[in-house]
Structures are given as structure tokens and as C-alpha cells.
Amino acid sequence: TAGKQKPYMYTQGQAVLNRSFFPCFDTPSVKFTYSATVQVPEGFTAVMSATSWEKQNDNTFVFKMSQPIPSYLIALAVGDIVSADVGPRSRVWAEPCLIEAAKKEYDGVIEEFLVVGEKLFGPYVWGRYDILFMPPSFPFGGMENPCLTFVTPCLLAGDRSLADVIIHEISHSWFGNLVTNATWGEFWLNEGFTMYAQRRISTEVYGLAYTCLEAATGRALLRQHMDNTGEDHPLNKLRVVIEPGFSFFLGVNPDDTYNETPYEKGYCFVSYLAHLVGDQSKFDAFLQAYVNRFKFQSITADDTLGFFLEYFPDLKEKGVDSIPGFEFDRWLNTPGWPPYLPDLSPGEQLMKPADELAELWAADSLNMEATEAVDITAWRTYQLVYFLDQILQKSPLPEGNVERLSKMYPKISKAQNAELRLRWCQIILKNNLEAEYSKVKDFLHSQGKQKYTLPLYRAMWGGSESARALAMETFSATAPQLHVNVQNYVKKILGLEVVN
């Protein structure tokens, strides 16, 4: 925990983990309402993903969720937590030592995103949109539990530079929570549509250039994932076959199918559907109609694509579902790189200066005059992330360049923003900059998010002797504060024995 004084308990239902919390049909194809009565010790507060709750005597909390939801969205947390209002229908929850930072970061922000979401996709049906900042050991970026999103405290960058990450979780209010994939084999229905919705909201709020830049970083992650697994890996299909085992215990855990494909390849497929329509406002209207048609239901890709062709009869008549190379069936059932990529060229105006600056830093003879002429003070998070990704690709840099870069840009090398810290730590390791190893150690001590923790252990283990020693030392010190799944993943990287 952040406060390190009192214990903290939380549940994580997605994908099929709530069966160990209460008896249920633990499948997204079944939706139901629920109520719960939770008694907790004095000095603790309970919160749940519910539309209403009240506190009764003897520290008992009564919750009701009046809208039907799948089992994986039922969530409970109990801890030393307090709240602060940040909008007309939103509050932040956190440990007392984090509440001021949380309020400052999100005051007024959430309502702006919700209003844009409602304009694009229809009414927000869940009443409240609260955020619970989890303990640093929480292994995920966010979990879109309705009415109460669970998020990593890594979002508290101190300058609102990661506030827009919450747009993804807000977008799930329509895509995932309201219209849900009926099976985990079609997870892209939740995540591909949510990525598309997130980027629509982001375009309205921040403009097209910035959104294209953010989407370009997403595409780079997809490329990285497919290079690691091989494009033809069966998990790189949008419709994944999750075979049940020949005994109950040997089936595939849907969590093991989790990767970038449903998010980014799914986003490309939804973008392709928008491209077929050819008019943004018409496609926005389709998304509203889609949400309205399937709200509170669990559906398959066939339902989605059938409704798309029914909504646009002229496209159905043209046979857009079977254009050679772009067949809907190919999108769903063939692994590999997306057959269509949305145009991200509006992001060039932000990428080009970052590309040029990275080139300067990778040059053998460093042109200090040219680098000093580039002012990065106004660059927003994803422009800096993009720049650091280029530096990482070009690393190791010529002797002494990383040290100079570190001194010249304290905005990067001393950043509290987790996305920047991750990349700066990767650059330190790729360039074997031992003088800044403490930054890697501090970052891994401060949080346990899987997305940040595993790449750094991989980089340390693939690095020098001293980097490997740093990995062992840091893991032995931080293992008890990591989620058990993350502990096991790190053990695999370090070649340690995994205890089930």
C-alpha cells in the first residue's frame, strides 16, 4: 500500500476470476443485477462497482447494482480509503496520503471526457463515474468496473500529463460494460471498439494530430508484440479459439490470451469499418445506434457485423464483407498484421520534430547547437514518448550522448510521469548507464504494474553482468510487494523456480 500502515483487499474479476469470490456463471455471456452487504472492521471503508451504496451501523456497507452486468465486472475493495469530489457525478477514492494528489490531477477532467463520450455514443447509463486509486502493487493500468474504475497510482504524474489514460476506461462505459463480448475469444469487441471510442474522444478534446501520434505508439506496440510472437501465432487472430480441455482443469485460461492484438488490430478493424462508410458523422451515428441496439446484452462478432451491414444496406449490396484481401472472415480468423491501417499522417507534424531530434542525438559527432535550438518544453506526453521510443531504437548511442541528453532534458530524466520513466529506464539499461541505475531501482520499488515491471526485468536480464545483478537485488527486495502473477512472470524471466 501507499500508506504502509493498514491492510488493503481488492478483487480482480476479469477474465474468469470471480468464481473464487462468489458462486456465479463466470462467463461474459450472462448478465445480472446484484446486491451485497459487506461488514468491515472499524477504520476501514468498503467500495463496490455498484449504482448505489449506503453505510449502516457497525461499519456495514450495503451495495446495489441496478443494471445487469457480467460477473467479471463485480468488484470490491476494502482499505483505509477516503474520497473527494472532482465533478458533478465523479469522485476520486484513495488512501489518505494520495487523496490530495488524486483530487488535483482529476478535478474537472472526468466530466469533460464523459460529456464528449455522451455526445458521441449516447447517454452514460451508470449514474456515477468514480475512480479508485489502487495500492502501488496493483498490476494493471486500469480495470473498468462500472461506477468505480480501479486504476494504478502511476497515473498521478503531478502535472495531469497522464489524465487522458482514463479516457480508455471511460470508453468502456459503452463498449464492454454496456455492450459486452459474449465470449473471451472475441475480446476485440470490448477492446477494439474501446480503442476506437477512446481515440474519437481524444480527437474531440486534443485534436487529430495528437490522437494520431498516440495511435502510432499503439501501432508500434502491436508491431513489437507480433515480432515477439511471430505474426502467424494463433493468438494474433481477432477470433481466438479458446479450446476447453478434456478435463475441467486443463482448459485454456482466457487471461493467457491477453495481448496487443484485440486492442490494436481490433482498432484497425473498427477503423476499416469507418473507412468503408467514408463519413465520420455517419459512422458516429452508427456507433450510437449499435450501443442502443445491444445495450445490456452480450454479443458475438457476427451480431456486430450483421448489424453493420443491416444499418448500411448500400454497403451490404456492394458486398463489402467479401472484398478480396479485406474479407470480414479474414479479419476475424486469419492471424497476422491488419490488412488495413488507418491513416496516421496528421500526426506527422508532431512526429517529424521528434524524429529529427532523435537523429541528432544518435549522430557520432553531436551537434549541440542544433539540439539546443529545439525547444521541447511544450511537447506533451506522447510526443516525448515517441521521441524516447526513437532514442531507444537507436540505442546504444555513441559514447557520452546519453549522459548529455540526461543533463539537457531534466523534464525527461527526472520525470515523475510513469510512461516517461519506463522509457528512460529502458534507455539507461540499453546504454548500460550504471550512473543512473538507481532510477531503475527507484521506479521498480515505487510500483508493481505489469506493463512497466516486466520490460525492465527483461532489459536487465538481457544486459550486462551488473544489470543482471541489479535485477536480482531489486527483485529480492520488491517481490513481497508484487502481485503474485507479476512475481511469477518475473521469476520466469530471471530463471527462478515458479511455485504455483
Side-chain angles (χ1 to χ4, degrees):
T1 63
K4 303 212 183 303
Q5 298 303 309
K6 291 183 178 177
Y8 195 112
M9 193 286 300
Y10 69 86
T11 65
Q12 166 60 30
Q14 194 175 18
V16 289
L17 304 171
N18 269 347
R19 59 186 67 182
S20 61
F21 168 28
F22 60 94
C24 60
F25 296 105
D26 203 3
T27 161
S29 64
V30 176
K31 290 190 170 183
F32 48 85
T33 58
Y34 80 87
S35 60
T37 305
V38 184
Q39 188 178 15
V40 300
E42 204 53 52
F44 288 85
T45 299
V47 290
M48 288 191 82
S49 53
T51 39
S52 71
W53 67 281
E54 57 171 305
K55 185 179 177 184
Q56 298 182 336
N57 300 335
D58 70 1
N59 232 28
T60 297
F61 295 82
V62 178
F63 301 96
K64 281 193 177 68
M65 168 48 88
S66 54
Q67 316 275 30
I69 58 171
S71 55
Y72 76 89
L73 289 176
I74 293 184
L76 165 71
V78 180
D80 178 15
I81 46 179
V82 292
S83 68
D85 286 333
V86 291
R89 46 185 160 172
S90 302
R91 60 173 82 93
V92 287
W93 292 87
E95 293 178 61
C97 60
L98 290 180
I99 196 69
E100 273 314 307
K103 184 173 171 26
K104 198 171 142 217
E105 200 87 0
Y106 280 92
D107 210 2
V109 170
I110 295 168
E111 187 61 22
E112 181 186 9
F113 298 151
L114 283 173
V115 167
V116 176
E118 287 189 301
K119 188 182 89 178
L120 290 170
F121 314 121
Y124 177 78
V125 303
W126 306 100
R128 298 199 63 81
Y129 186 92
D130 290 359
I131 300 180
L132 172 63
F133 286 90
M134 303 299 282
S137 58
F138 186 60
F140 311 106
M143 181 59 218
E144 67 273 11
N145 304 308
C147 310
L148 184 68
T149 286
F150 287 13
V151 294
T152 172
C154 292
L155 294 192
L156 300 175
D159 58 1
R160 296 194 165 186
S161 56
L162 287 177
D164 53 348
V165 172
I166 208 69
I167 300 177
H168 181 86
E169 309 309 332
I170 286 173
S171 300
H172 272 304
S173 306
W174 294 273
F175 304 98
N177 296 7
L178 197 50
V179 181
T180 308
N181 49 225
T183 75
W184 292 118
E186 295 190 330
F187 187 41
W188 77 274
L189 288 174
N190 278 16
E191 294 300 349
F193 274 89
T194 294
M195 291 305 294
Y196 188 86
Q198 168 198 322
R199 287 168 182 157
R200 279 296 294 119
I201 293 174
S202 171
T203 299
E204 296 288 307
V205 177
Y206 300 115
L208 188 58
Y210 185 70
T211 303
C212 286
L213 177 64
E214 184 274 323
T217 63
R219 188 179 294 176
L221 287 173
L222 180 66
R223 182 70 272 166
Q224 215 175 323
H225 159 71
M226 289 207 175
D227 288 346
N228 287 343
T229 56
E231 279 198 22
D232 54 359
H233 193 287
L235 291 183
N236 292 333
K237 293 191 290 196
L238 290 181
R239 184 183 275 154
V240 177
V241 181
I242 301 178
E243 293 285 3
F246 55 83
S247 90
F248 175 73
F249 298 104
L250 296 177
V252 173
N253 180 349
D255 273 347
D256 294 340
T257 68
Y258 174 88
N259 61 54
E260 299 293 337
T261 297
Y263 290 78
E264 294 296 345
K265 188 175 179 178
Y267 164 72
C268 289
F269 190 18
V270 181
S271 301
Y272 175 64
L273 297 177
H275 162 75
L276 288 174
V277 174
D279 177 316
Q280 187 65 61
S281 58
K282 279 187 186 165
F283 192 70
D284 288 347
F286 159 73
L287 289 176
Q288 263 201 46
Y290 168 72
V291 168
N292 197 40
R293 166 75 176 78
F294 294 113
K295 62 186 176 201
F296 303 117
Q297 295 178 47
S298 299
I299 64 170
T300 64
D302 292 342
D303 296 323
T304 299
L305 298 170
F307 181 71
F308 175 78
L309 294 172
E310 187 187 305
Y311 189 87
F312 295 109
D314 53 326
L315 293 181
K316 183 178 186 173
E317 214 170 294
K318 279 187 198 161
V320 293
D321 55 337
S322 51
I323 297 168
F326 301 93
E327 301 91 343
F328 288 1
D329 183 77
R330 175 184 168 165
W331 273 103
L332 294 175
N333 298 310
T334 307
W337 196 244
Y340 167 88
L341 295 170
D343 173 24
L344 303 181
S345 60
E348 287 293 335
Q349 66 191 75
L350 299 173
M351 290 181 218
K352 200 162 175 271
D355 278 325
E356 287 168 356
L357 186 60
E359 286 291 341
L360 289 171
W361 281 103
D364 282 333
S365 53
L366 195 57
N367 182 342
M368 285 312 281
E369 200 181 327
T371 54
E372 281 165 7
V374 183
D375 179 13
I376 68 162
T377 48
W379 289 14
R380 296 198 42 221
T381 301
Y382 279 104
Q383 196 171 8
L384 292 167
V385 161
Y386 181 82
F387 166 66
L388 292 178
D389 280 343
Q390 305 315 304
I391 292 288
L392 188 59
Q393 278 175 19
K394 296 173 195 304
S395 290
L397 297 185
E399 190 76 29
N401 284 15
V402 179
E403 290 89 333
R404 288 198 191 100
L405 193 147
S406 175
K407 282 197 186 76
M408 190 158 158
Y409 306 132
K411 178 180 180 174
I412 291 172
S413 59
K414 293 195 166 88
Q416 285 309 298
N417 176 314
E419 292 289 327
L420 299 180
R421 285 178 84 179
L422 165 68
R423 285 162 177 85
W424 185 245
C425 289
Q426 287 174 305
I427 289 165
I428 288 168
L429 293 166
K430 192 93 180 272
N431 289 276
N432 203 24
L433 190 60
E434 289 191 35
E436 295 207 11
Y437 272 7
S438 61
K439 287 185 177 162
V440 180
K441 197 162 130 185
D442 291 348
F443 187 41
L444 288 169
H445 273 264
S446 73
Q447 55 77 42
K449 187 179 166 184
Q450 189 170 307
K451 179 186 164 188
Y452 300 145
T453 301
L454 302 186
L456 290 179
Y457 277 102
R458 281 193 202 103
M460 286 187 279
W461 205 243
S464 63
E465 278 302 310
S466 53
R468 284 185 157 214
L470 178 69
M472 283 302 200
E473 177 203 328
T474 307
F475 183 60
S476 64
T478 59
Q481 72 191 41
L482 293 174
H483 188 280
V484 64
N485 290 358
V486 179
Q487 278 183 33
N488 283 335
Y489 288 135
V490 175
K491 282 178 181 172
K492 278 182 187 164
I493 292 166
L494 304 183
L496 302 171
E497 199 179 325
V498 173
V499 182
N500 284 329

